[in-house]
Amino acid sequence: MNDIPKHERRWASDTIPGKVTVSAGTSPGTESSSAGDEFVEVTLDLRDDDTIVLRSVEPANVISIDDSVAGSGYETPVSVPRSPSIRRNSSRGFRQFSQELKAEAVAKAKHFSQELRRFSWSHGQASRAFSSSSAQTGAGGSAGGGFETALAARALRKQRAQLDRTRSGAHKALRGLKFISSASKSNGVDAWNEVQKNFDRLAKDGFLHRIDFGQCIGMKDSKEFALELFDALGRKRRLKVDKINKEELFEFWSQITDQSFDSRLQIFFDMVDKNEDGRITEEEVKEIIMLSASANKLSRLKEQAEEYAALIMEELDPERLGYIELWQLETLLLQKDTYLNYSQALSYTSQALSQNLQGLRKKSPIHRMSRRFLYYLQENWKRLWLLTLWVCIMIGLFTWKFIQYKKKDVFHIMGYCLLTAKGAAETLKFNMALILLPVCRNTITWLRSTKLSYVVPFDDNINFHKTIAGAIVIGVILHVGDHLACDFPRLVSSSEADYQKYLKGVFGRQKPNYGDIIKGVEAVTGILMVTLMAIAFILATTWFRRNLIKLPKPFNKLTGFNAFWYSHHLFVIVYVLLIVHGVKLYLVHKWHLKTTWMYLAVPVLLYASERTLRLFRSGFYTVRLIKVAIYPGNVLTLQMSKPPQFRYKSGQYMFVQCPAVSPFEWHPFSITSSPGDDYLSVHIRQLGDWTQELKRVFSEACEPPVSGRSGLLRADETTKKSLPKLKIDGPYGAPAQDYRKYDVLLLVGLGIGATPFISILKDLLNNIIKMEELADSVSDTSRGSDLSVGSTDSPSLNKIAPKRKKILKTTNAYFYWVTREQGSFDWFKGVMNEVAELDQRGVIEMHNYLTSVYEEGDARSALITMVQALNHAKNGVDIVSGTRVRTHFARPNWKKVFSKMCSKHYSGRIGVFYCGAPVLAKELNKLCYEFNEKGPTKFEFHKEHF
């Protein structure tokens, strides 16, 4: 038995609940066995669906059970080794345990006694043949004997694989080998109708050419894979054609959408087995790996195809016959999950059912509406009370000014138009002052650390800034519109008698015409303000700021971040005009009644102070670049010295300025270094005009890669070319910095959106290391105190324990990173490896998702998944990311992620932090709402804003 190849034990390592270990002599059912019999330990999986899976057959030592147990009515001497602590001499507890376990094991084992007898006989014959052949070869036997040994060993493995294949295993593999994913998600008839439409569009003279086959069946992004599939289907029909008609296309379609696992497996095997000899060589495996890598845009995998082909052959062909057969490929598919255990999903707990069932219980419409309303209040009460206060202040100001002007003589001529204009003007003065406060970033960062953060949603400062801007637009429309289109025309058209009676002391003895009013200081400043504000507001919209609108040259310079940045500085002129406008009023002449400057004084001074502070601090925080690297995906990494006074928290961001690009522009970037690091680092992706120019400037300073290093453009302090200068300003507060409030974290980053969470992961890792060191010191201290009798060192231990809790409150962190490019993993490869190596307590769980690869289950990614599993099982490295963290394919099932977190952290308070595209933010926020309704586990959603 010892001659069985070691890799077989790997197949047996997948433990399943409910496994029963039965040790028997010849077979279950014999009454006794002589002392000379050889015993084997047969490990079986006894399933609820009356199927049996053989896991291992090994030599076993017999545990003798005394006569009282043997004569208890059980015919089969079955022994179940539980632990080394069980001794040969029996006891009362052991006898009772043995009787109960034997009753359950024998009842199921009898049902399969015939199968076991046949297997035991064949297993013994194959084992003896293998042993004798090995002995002959070792004694100088012929090469033919070695070949027969290999064939016998392979036959034994094939027999075992056939026993190991179960209905559930085949069903699992079926889900994992689909050529057309869309056909399974929609009605099969509809899918075929779509293929027919494509055929009618692409066919020429009633025939579909081979080159158009992929586009016809929905594989237009995997043309090479589709061509090989076409050839394999043709070989199966003994055809070698370059075009097919609709009937032949239907036959091809029926085969690739067949629900039979064996049929799909055979097609996949035929794609590899081009010479149709029923065997796959290492060269053919290499070709299919390169084909799969090309279909999934994995260029690095193509470069290592030869290495991974050898890995598959090593695993599936331990006998060194030089080929693998269909059943071996099937075995690898069925046992894929055994290798993927290194990155299992979140585990369920016994409370999972109660969490999910709460959402299934029927509730009345009134109860559902009340729960939703209460949840909405619970989630948004900070925003609601602040917005309510803001709206009430605006209503109060509007009403106060409306009533005030209604009592004036001018009301008799200009009417309610004037009252509305003046009420809107009062709200405009208030909002023009208030809109500066949310962008006073230093003040906001300081207020985050105060108790005011419990009642004020500082995370929404930018959203509040935009909301106020919307109110200003409405106020401008009311104020300017009423003046220009209503009360000024009413003044011009009023009778001379009414004018002399009510407005003589305002505009002079002679009634002005419309042109005279428009030429006045108040009207000119107002029109100029409206014009400048309109430019700034339009260029600040998402369409212009994010280059979503493509304009012809030279108007294309009106889009992008630069246009937004410079146009916003027009507000300096707007505020000057606003003060002049408020001083030169037509209807107010007393200085203490001209309140515009009173509204603006404090906010303008505060904002001006912040900008001045930024100016001086940027010069004070002198940094020197330590290292520069340009990664795939147009990502620039800047590592710089850390000023002694620069103290920050994980999750915060800072502003960066590069005078070589622009002496005025400052751009915010998340800090990716940990507070414990002795340097600062940021990762900048090329998304706009400024970042594009920044990358160009640093690319010119970088040196080409040298042999022995990665193919990245790099620069450091030893670089001959001088590096551009940088200025920094910050740090500034962000939602992610509050991660310490939660015991459990769900961190979700899309692409470059992973940057704010890298610092958090580093910080958590540093705290983990500190906790381990602290635990060691506590254990050493406690051992020392135990050695001294009557020691009074216990107070010192009490001082250490609270400090230990303070270091790391977070018990678990789950990081989900979704990216489209394989090269993105290079950005934080070192961090991921460090987390995987040092996080022995399992605090951090990392999940990488690569959306360019087809989802797990697609035939185009099936072989990649196999290679990925095998390589990690052998070398501990993921082939896609190059780290110890497994890379999943396609997009995460967020609903399943939330469900599993509910199960594992029942009744917990989970902080969900997201940075990325707004579309996913809506989905995550909605899921937080849905799962908060279902049960006691609470999710709190936070999105990064810059």
Side-chain angles (χ1 to χ4, degrees):
M1 296 296 293
N2 293 333
D3 292 327
I4 296 176
K6 291 185 178 179
H7 76 280
E8 286 198 36
R9 299 181 185 273
R10 185 180 301 166
W11 299 123
S13 64
D14 188 16
T15 59
I16 299 177
K19 182 176 71 177
V20 179
T21 305
V22 182
S23 297
T26 55
S27 66
T30 56
E31 295 183 358
S32 61
S33 50
S34 62
D37 289 341
E38 293 184 0
F39 288 85
V40 294
E41 181 181 286
V42 182
T43 305
L44 305 173
D45 285 342
L46 304 176
R47 306 288 181 84
D48 294 334
D49 57 354
D50 294 333
T51 59
I52 181 171
V53 178
L54 180 67
R55 286 297 176 187
S56 65
V57 181
E58 299 178 356
N61 295 323
V62 180
I63 302 177
S64 61
I65 305 175
D66 62 6
D67 295 338
S68 63
V69 179
S72 59
Y74 297 103
E75 298 179 355
T76 308
V78 180
S79 63
V80 184
R82 303 294 294 178
S83 68
S85 60
I86 299 179
R87 299 180 179 179
R88 291 180 181 272
N89 52 338
S90 61
S91 64
R92 182 178 301 173
F94 178 76
R95 286 196 301 270
Q96 183 179 359
F97 173 76
S98 300
Q99 292 171 8
E100 293 174 355
L101 195 58
K102 280 193 289 186
E104 180 182 358
V106 172
K108 288 189 176 183
K110 280 184 177 181
H111 183 69
F112 303 104
S113 59
Q114 297 300 324
E115 285 80 0
L116 279 174
R117 286 193 190 96
R118 286 197 298 269
F119 178 79
S120 299
W121 179 84
S122 61
H123 192 280
Q125 293 290 331
S127 178
R128 284 190 289 271
F130 184 81
S131 301
S132 60
S133 300
S134 300
Q136 291 175 7
T137 305
S142 63
F147 182 72
E148 291 177 0
T149 301
L151 288 177
R154 178 166 289 194
L156 179 64
R157 288 201 304 119
K158 183 175 182 179
Q159 187 177 27
R160 180 175 179 177
Q162 290 173 343
L163 283 173
D164 200 28
R165 178 181 173 180
T166 64
R167 291 195 298 270
S168 60
H171 181 65
K172 184 187 298 183
L174 173 63
R175 297 197 308 268
L177 195 63
K178 296 179 181 179
F179 292 95
I180 307 295
S181 300
S182 59
S184 62
K185 296 179 181 178
S186 61
N187 185 280
V189 177
D190 295 338
W192 167 243
N193 290 336
E194 186 66 26
V195 173
Q196 288 188 92
K197 292 179 182 178
N198 293 336
F199 178 88
D200 296 336
R201 179 171 52 87
L202 299 170
K204 298 176 183 178
D205 300 327
F207 287 92
L208 178 72
H209 287 264
R210 175 176 176 268
I211 195 67
D212 297 322
F213 180 70
Q215 187 174 356
C216 183
I217 66 173
M219 284 190 179
K220 61 180 180 180
D221 295 329
S222 311
K223 290 184 178 180
E224 295 180 8
F225 192 91
L227 293 176
E228 292 295 338
L229 178 60
F230 181 92
D231 294 340
L233 293 171
R235 287 195 298 269
K236 192 172 184 180
R237 299 177 69 248
R238 302 300 177 187
L239 296 175
K240 188 174 182 181
V241 293
D242 288 333
K243 57 184 179 180
I244 55 176
N245 57 32
K246 185 176 288 189
E247 289 73 18
E248 291 170 329
L249 175 64
F250 179 75
E251 292 182 19
F252 282 13
W253 177 259
S254 300
Q255 292 178 53
I256 61 180
T257 57
D258 195 335
Q259 295 301 310
S260 168
F261 168 60
D262 292 326
S263 177
R264 293 181 180 180
L265 178 65
Q266 185 65 56
I267 294 173
F268 189 80
F269 186 86
D270 292 340
M271 288 180 63
V272 188
D273 182 25
K274 295 183 180 180
N275 57 4
E276 301 181 80
D277 62 350
R279 300 175 177 181
I280 299 177
T281 63
E282 184 172 335
E283 187 62 29
E284 290 173 323
V285 173
K286 175 185 173 182
E287 290 181 13
I288 195 67
I289 290 177
M290 294 184 67
L291 188 66
S292 300
S294 177
N296 292 279
K297 301 180 180 64
L298 299 175
S299 57
R300 297 183 185 177
L301 192 63
K302 294 175 67 175
E303 298 171 0
Q304 297 174 288
E306 185 173 352
E307 174 188 345
Y308 297 140
L311 179 65
I312 288 182
M313 296 301 293
E314 178 185 347
E315 184 65 28
L316 298 184
D317 182 29
E319 302 85 10
R320 306 281 179 92
L321 294 177
Y323 64 89
I324 58 177
E325 299 170 296
L326 179 65
W327 67 269
Q328 292 163 290
L329 189 63
E330 177 188 22
T331 301
L332 186 57
L333 273 172
L334 292 174
Q335 294 292 342
K336 171 176 65 68
D337 290 340
T338 303
Y339 291 99
L340 295 179
N341 284 335
Y342 64 86
S343 183
Q344 291 290 345
L346 298 170
S347 58
Y348 281 92
T349 64
S350 59
Q351 296 161 324
L353 192 59
S354 62
Q355 172 81 7
N356 294 324
L357 286 179
Q358 289 190 33
L360 299 177
R361 295 168 186 159
K362 292 185 177 180
K363 299 172 183 177
S364 65
I366 298 176
H367 186 266
R368 287 198 301 268
M369 290 179 63
S370 62
R371 277 189 60 86
R372 290 179 181 176
F373 179 70
L374 290 174
Y375 170 74
Y376 182 80
L377 290 179
Q378 181 182 357
E379 290 295 306
N380 299 282
W381 68 271
K382 292 182 182 180
R383 301 183 183 95
L384 289 175
W385 86 261
L386 191 62
L387 289 174
T388 302
L389 177 63
W390 174 59
V391 171
C392 288
I393 291 174
M394 288 193 297
I395 292 174
L397 291 172
F398 186 93
T399 305
W400 168 62
K401 193 58 65 172
F402 189 94
I403 295 173
Q404 182 183 6
Y405 270 83
K406 191 174 183 180
K407 298 176 181 178
K408 294 180 178 291
D409 291 339
V410 72
F411 169 70
H412 296 282
I413 293 180
M414 295 185 175
Y416 286 98
C417 295
L418 176 66
L419 274 56
T420 305
K422 288 299 181 182
E426 204 66 18
T427 64
L428 277 173
K429 290 186 283 185
F430 170 68
N431 285 326
M432 288 297 289
L434 187 63
I435 198 171
L436 295 174
L437 296 181
V439 290
C440 292
R441 301 177 187 272
N442 289 291
T443 304
I444 295 294
T445 302
W446 170 68
L447 290 174
R448 281 176 178 273
S449 60
T450 66
K451 293 183 179 180
L452 197 61
S453 61
Y454 291 105
V455 294
V456 177
F458 291 115
D459 291 348
D460 293 328
N461 61 318
I462 299 300
N463 285 334
F464 190 43
H465 177 79
K466 295 177 181 178
T467 304
I468 298 171
I472 289 175
V473 172
I474 297 173
V476 166
I477 292 173
L478 287 175
H479 180 69
V480 177
D482 280 331
H483 273 322
L484 297 180
C486 188
D487 55 25
F488 287 173
R490 285 173 66 96
L491 169 62
V492 173
S493 62
S494 63
S495 65
E496 189 66 29
D498 287 342
Y499 178 79
Q500 294 297 331
K501 181 179 179 181
Y502 297 112
L503 295 177
K504 178 181 177 182
V506 178
F507 292 97
R509 296 181 62 86
Q510 187 174 355
K511 186 176 68 172
N513 58 34
Y514 198 85
D516 294 333
I517 298 174
I518 294 299
K519 289 187 293 184
V521 176
E522 185 179 13
V524 171
T525 54
I527 293 171
L528 284 174
M529 279 192 295
V530 171
T531 304
L532 296 177
M533 290 167 68
I535 295 172
F537 282 177
I538 291 173
L539 297 183
T541 57
T542 304
W543 301 286
F544 284 86
R545 185 164 49 91
R546 295 191 178 274
N547 279 320
L548 300 180
I549 294 179
K550 302 300 180 183
L551 298 176
K553 293 182 179 181
F555 300 104
N556 60 331
K557 294 187 179 295
L558 295 177
T559 61
F561 192 87
N562 279 349
F564 157 75
W565 175 262
Y566 289 114
S567 65
H568 248 55
H569 285 78
L570 294 174
F571 277 100
V572 176
I573 303 174
V574 169
Y575 277 96
V576 173
L577 292 173
L578 181 59
I579 295 174
V580 175
H581 183 80
V583 172
K584 298 292 184 177
L585 294 176
Y586 288 129
L587 304 177
V588 180
H589 300 288
K590 296 180 180 179
W591 71 270
H592 63 276
L593 297 178
K594 299 176 180 180
T595 57
T596 302
W597 66 272
M598 299 179 187
Y599 281 99
L600 299 178
V602 174
V604 168
L605 285 175
L606 180 61
Y607 184 74
S609 301
E610 290 231 355
R611 295 301 294 263
T612 305
L613 175 63
R614 176 184 294 184
L615 179 63
F616 283 101
R617 188 166 58 182
S618 61
F620 184 67
Y621 285 162
T622 56
V623 295
R624 85 188 139 74
L625 285 169
I626 302 174
K627 186 173 70 173
V628 177
I630 299 177
Y631 290 97
N634 292 321
V635 171
L636 172 67
T637 301
L638 301 177
Q639 193 176 108
M640 61 203 79
S641 60
K642 181 179 178 181
Q645 301 82 6
F646 194 93
R647 296 182 179 88
Y648 63 97
K649 299 178 181 178
S650 293
Q652 291 186 331
Y653 66 96
M654 66 181 182
F655 278 84
V656 176
Q657 185 203 73
C658 181
V661 177
S662 172
F664 306 110
E665 292 185 51
W666 291 84
H667 293 260
F669 298 103
S670 297
I671 304 173
T672 53
S673 54
S674 168
D677 295 334
D678 57 356
Y679 61 88
L680 287 174
S681 66
V682 292
H683 288 67
I684 303 172
R685 186 172 189 180
Q686 180 182 323
L687 292 174
D689 40 17
W690 186 87
T691 53
Q692 184 176 359
E693 184 64 16
L694 184 73
K695 183 201 167 191
R696 186 193 65 80
V697 168
F698 277 97
S699 297
E700 294 176 354
C702 290
E703 296 178 348
V706 296
S707 58
R709 299 185 66 179
S710 61
L712 303 177
L713 290 174
R714 296 177 182 270
D716 52 33
E717 295 175 298
T718 63
T719 303
K720 297 178 182 179
K721 297 180 182 179
S722 60
L723 296 173
K725 302 297 182 183
L726 279 185
K727 294 182 179 180
I728 64 171
D729 177 54
Y732 293 104
Q737 77 177 62
D738 298 327
Y739 75 93
R740 291 177 178 269
K741 296 180 181 178
Y742 302 95
D743 294 329
V744 180
L745 302 177
L746 175 58
L747 310 174
V748 181
L750 259 62
I752 200 64
T755 51
F757 308 128
I758 295 301
S759 178
I760 293 176
L761 293 178
K762 286 184 177 181
D763 196 29
L764 287 173
L765 188 62
N766 291 337
N767 282 324
I768 291 170
I769 297 173
K770 289 180 182 178
M771 283 197 66
E772 297 296 337
E773 294 174 352
L774 187 62
D776 293 340
S777 64
V778 170
S779 60
D780 292 342
T781 308
S782 60
R783 283 195 297 268
S785 61
D786 291 339
L787 293 176
S788 57
V789 181
S791 175
T792 59
D793 289 340
S794 57
S796 64
L797 296 177
N798 293 332
K799 291 180 181 178
I800 293 176
K803 186 176 180 182
R804 177 181 179 181
K805 184 178 180 180
K806 185 178 180 181
I807 289 178
L808 184 62
K809 180 181 179 181
T810 303
T811 58
N812 290 93
Y814 303 93
F815 177 51
Y816 284 78
W817 185 12
V818 185
T819 184
R820 291 179 295 183
E821 299 169 341
Q822 183 185 7
S824 301
F825 298 120
D826 291 342
W827 306 346
F828 309 115
K829 184 180 292 186
V831 177
M832 289 189 284
N833 282 329
E834 195 175 5
V835 169
E837 181 179 355
L838 298 180
D839 183 21
Q840 301 298 326
R841 300 176 63 239
V843 174
I844 302 172
E845 187 174 298
M846 305 184 71
H847 297 269
N848 296 333
Y849 281 82
L850 186 62
T851 58
S852 67
V853 180
Y854 291 95
E855 61 185 357
E856 294 177 15
D858 196 294
R860 286 165 285 189
S861 62
L863 199 64
I864 295 176
T865 306
M866 298 178 203
V867 174
Q868 180 193 42
L870 288 173
N871 191 72
H872 199 283
K874 180 178 180 180
N875 304 319
V877 177
D878 182 77
I879 63 172
V880 178
S881 66
T883 69
R884 299 178 63 182
V885 180
R886 177 192 171 189
T887 300
H888 306 270
F889 301 146
R891 291 174 174 82
N893 185 333
W894 294 113
K895 193 168 187 178
K896 186 180 293 186
V897 171
F898 275 74
S899 177
K900 291 180 178 180
M901 291 198 72
C902 281
S903 305
K904 188 169 185 179
H905 304 286
Y906 188 77
S907 297
R909 182 166 167 255
I910 302 173
V912 181
F913 295 90
Y914 171 73
C915 185
V919 177
L920 183 56
K922 295 179 181 178
E923 181 182 350
L924 295 177
N925 199 11
K926 183 180 178 182
L927 286 172
C928 289
Y929 168 77
E930 291 177 356
F931 281 89
N932 286 346
E933 274 198 316
K934 287 182 178 180
T937 306
K938 298 303 176 186
F939 294 88
E940 296 185 20
F941 181 74
H942 304 271
K943 183 182 182 301
E944 292 293 321
H945 301 280
F946 291 113

